[in-house]
Amino acid sequence: MAEVLQLEIVTPERLVEKDTIEQIQIPGKNGYLGILPGHAPLITELGVGEITYTADGMAYYVAVAWGFAEVLPDKVTILAETAERAENIDVERARKAKERAEERLRSASGEVNYQRALVALDRANVRLQVAEKKR
Amino acid sequence: MANILDIRRRIRSVRNTRQITKAMKMISAARLRRAQDRALSARPYAQMLTNVLKSLVSRAEIFDPETGEPRHPLLAQRPEKNILVIVVTADRGLAGAFNANIIKAAFRFFAANEGKIVDIEAVGRKGRDLFRRRFPTATPEQTERAGPVQTVGEHIGVLGKLSFEYVRDFSEGVIDRYTKGEIDSVYVIYNEFKSVIAQRLIVEKVLPIEEIGEQTVAQAEEVSKEEREKRAEAAQAAGISLGEADTREMDRRAAAFATAQVDYLYEQSPGELFRNLLPKYVAVQIYRSMLESIASEHAARMTAMESASSNADEMIDKLTLAMNRVRQAKITKEIIEIVSGAAAQ
């Protein structure tokens, strides 16, 4: 059985991450999934959340907002709309986005706007959370 | 005959202009290279998304097995009465006929669809300025349409630093209008960019989706041979490769995504996955067309500046020649005066 996983994180803008890892947790739409080498083939949608993985015994954190993952026994490929490693997150921007989203939530008119503001708030929160974990 | 001082002044001014056009050419070449890279790095994502969707089509029974009708609104064809057109121009000029050509194509498209209601989303300042002069602009307060053709949105200054998030929000708005039935189809008019010499001005249909992974081109126009040669020359001078980049390795890896010959476990039902993925596919299409338009813009500007520089060269040569001739004539005249003066004594 495979001992490691190949990880690839791809966004529309670029290839974010390519690494050999020991284990990974991904934010599935219906809850977090922990994946070890040799996992059964799986396809899942990702929600807004954080990806945690370990490579060479070190933990890494990546914030994602909506994505899609394919898991194979020796490989994990993640398509994410946005993916940022903890150290690359612009905390100031995330904080501003959060304030904006909160503002919109208070004044939102209509169901759609409300939903969108909620999603935006979610995204900003995750970014802030992940950013705190940077070394 | 013009005097030497005037000509000299003229030469100096042309030389200054040439310096500027040369600098602009170099800048455009650098930006073109960056734009090409960005367009390239958007490819794996687009292809992977397409793969997943294709493999889901069969599993999720997207098409009704009996009638063959699609079950997803973004796939359904309806009679075209209201059209949304996204016209992608540049924010800045000095790019030869780049903006003018796109706008011309847009007007041809309007003419071909006369009698239908057309909404314009203008991307880029140049297009926006022109449409605003020609057509009324929709305002949130208005209850009635101002005319058969009107601009409904503008996107200025986003092309310089295009982010996918921006395009996603934009396309969500478009999809929203489409599912509500406010519009029956969506087209993008832009300058396609495969390489410096392989470019087309096309009108592409993004909604409804006719076939996943296939481009639906409603109207296309090749670049003239003469223009292509000029571009090739400019690119060579700037050290940019002419061919399409080698993406085979990248494509092969992307093609393997979600198509392994195994039975996948699906966390969500294929139908649900499909529904959620399809809007992203539309966003990616629009994003790609904007990236390609940006690359084309820089290529066009580079070419324009290259020919401006060579025109300046030519002009300087001509003026220098004229100046020398005037100077020579003056000297000759002086000698004649001296000689005839001496002869008279």
Side-chain angles (χ1 to χ4, degrees):
Chain A
M1 201 176 83
E3 314 241 297
V4 287
L5 285 162
Q6 297 301 322
L7 169 71
E8 250 185 63
I9 303 180
V10 185
T11 69
E13 278 161 14
R14 63 185 187 280
L15 179 73
V16 178
E17 202 65 66
K18 202 175 162 198
D19 213 345
T20 306
I21 58 165
E22 287 112 41
Q23 55 147 318
I24 182 168
Q25 260 135 49
I26 54 177
K29 206 179 183 193
N30 312 330
Y32 276 79
L33 300 162
I35 287 155
L36 292 170
H39 197 285
L42 173 100
I43 282 183
T44 181
E45 209 181 327
L46 301 184
V48 178
E50 78 174 86
I51 294 176
T52 316
Y53 65 88
T54 50
D56 281 334
M58 301 263 273
Y60 294 90
Y61 306 93
V62 179
V64 289
W66 194 86
F68 189 82
E70 180 206 29
V71 178
L72 287 173
D74 58 350
K75 197 174 163 213
V76 177
T77 313
I78 294 170
L79 290 188
E81 207 154 71
T82 57
E84 291 157 294
R85 297 184 53 162
E87 51 268 39
N88 296 338
I89 292 175
D90 185 342
V91 179
E92 198 43 46
R93 220 187 107 210
R95 200 168 287 140
K96 280 210 184 97
K98 186 180 173 180
E99 279 162 22
R100 240 189 351 259
E102 279 167 348
E103 180 56 41
R104 276 218 304 256
L105 273 185
R106 275 191 291 275
S107 62
S109 59
E111 185 62 19
V112 178
N113 286 341
Y114 193 76
Q115 285 301 335
R116 269 199 207 155
L118 266 186
V119 174
L121 180 63
D122 242 17
R123 274 203 288 263
N125 272 333
V126 166
R127 270 204 190 113
L128 288 174
Q129 263 171 39
V130 173
E132 271 170 24
K133 292 185 183 160
K134 83 173 155 206
R135 277 181 294 268
Chain B
M1 212 170 220
N3 75 51
I4 299 177
L5 206 63
D6 280 347
I7 300 180
R8 200 170 274 156
R9 218 177 269 149
R10 189 78 202 285
I11 291 175
R12 205 178 307 139
S13 130
V14 175
R15 209 170 261 153
N16 285 342
T17 310
R18 183 180 64 178
Q19 205 157 32
I20 294 170
T21 56
K22 268 194 177 151
M24 281 183 77
K25 188 190 115 197
M26 303 301 270
I27 293 169
S28 298
R31 291 210 174 127
L32 169 62
R33 227 168 279 147
R34 213 170 328 141
Q36 261 177 313
D37 284 347
R38 293 188 64 191
L40 220 54
S41 34
R43 267 174 72 144
Y45 184 90
Q47 212 186 350
M48 288 177 180
L49 199 63
T50 311
N51 280 349
V52 181
L53 280 167
K54 272 190 183 159
S55 71
L56 282 173
V57 166
S58 51
R59 288 175 216 253
E61 295 198 336
I62 301 306
F63 294 93
D64 199 302
E66 275 161 33
T67 59
E69 288 288 303
R71 283 182 181 156
H72 194 285
L74 296 189
L75 297 169
Q77 307 272 344
R78 1 179 230 253
E80 251 179 20
K81 279 197 218 98
N82 301 296
I83 304 175
L84 178 75
V85 188
I86 302 167
V87 185
V88 189
T89 55
D91 280 330
R92 274 180 253 176
L94 289 185
F98 178 79
N99 290 309
N101 283 344
I102 293 169
I103 288 164
K104 254 187 254 161
F107 277 105
R108 261 201 304 279
F109 181 80
F110 299 154
N113 287 288
E114 220 177 334
K116 293 172 192 161
I117 305 288
V118 179
D119 279 354
I120 305 170
E121 287 273 3
V123 180
R125 180 172 286 119
K126 288 289 161 185
R128 191 273 316 255
D129 288 351
L130 186 116
F131 291 132
R132 197 155 63 177
R133 280 197 298 272
R134 277 306 163 80
F135 305 115
T137 309
T139 51
E141 308 88 54
Q142 94 185 359
T143 47
E144 261 174 53
R145 287 190 66 87
V149 180
Q150 67 175 14
T151 45
V152 292
E154 55 179 59
H155 308 270
I156 309 297
V158 296
L159 293 173
K161 215 170 175 253
L162 188 66
S163 76
F164 183 71
E165 280 179 65
Y166 183 86
V167 179
R168 179 200 55 209
D169 290 346
F170 168 46
S171 81
E172 269 172 14
V174 170
I175 291 169
D176 211 37
R177 293 192 65 199
Y178 182 83
T179 26
K180 272 191 207 149
E182 285 175 31
I183 43 180
D184 304 312
S185 59
V186 179
Y187 292 86
V188 186
I189 300 180
Y190 71 103
N191 203 322
E192 186 186 55
F193 185 95
K194 291 284 168 256
S195 71
V196 178
I197 38 175
Q199 298 184 35
R200 286 190 303 169
L201 195 61
I202 63 172
V203 180
E204 188 180 324
K205 191 180 194 178
V206 288
L207 275 178
I209 298 163
E210 288 191 357
E211 202 184 337
I212 289 161
E214 297 298 323
Q215 214 179 15
T216 315
V217 179
Q219 187 181 305
E221 200 184 312
E222 301 286 338
V223 174
S224 71
K225 191 163 169 260
E226 196 187 329
E227 175 69 16
R228 261 213 305 275
E229 275 164 11
K230 261 199 228 155
R231 277 182 190 165
E233 236 167 72
Q236 242 147 17
I240 288 175
S241 75
L242 296 181
E244 288 181 42
D246 186 8
T247 54
R248 272 169 300 179
E249 166 63 16
M250 201 159 85
D251 288 348
R252 198 182 50 73
R253 278 220 321 274
F257 183 76
T259 47
Q261 293 300 314
V262 288
D263 278 328
Y264 288 103
L265 296 173
Y266 284 91
E267 271 281 293
Q268 290 82 22
S269 78
E272 190 191 332
L273 278 179
F274 189 83
R275 266 198 303 284
N276 292 335
L277 279 169
L278 212 48
K280 312 291 176 185
Y281 177 76
V282 177
V284 166
Q285 295 295 315
I286 298 175
Y287 182 62
R288 184 187 50 79
S289 60
M290 287 188 190
L291 285 181
E292 288 192 13
S293 169
I294 295 169
S296 309
E297 178 198 334
H298 293 310
R301 186 166 297 123
M302 186 179 78
T303 314
M305 288 304 130
E306 163 85 13
S307 51
S309 303
S310 67
N311 284 348
D313 282 344
E314 225 169 83
M315 200 151 177
I316 289 170
D317 283 352
K318 250 190 228 156
L319 286 171
T320 312
L321 195 65
M323 187 182 76
N324 287 343
R325 218 171 259 156
V326 173
R327 198 185 57 196
Q328 195 57 58
K330 199 174 142 204
I331 293 168
T332 313
K333 207 174 114 202
E334 275 167 11
I335 291 174
I336 290 171
E337 272 164 14
I338 293 168
V339 171
S340 51
Q345 275 177 357

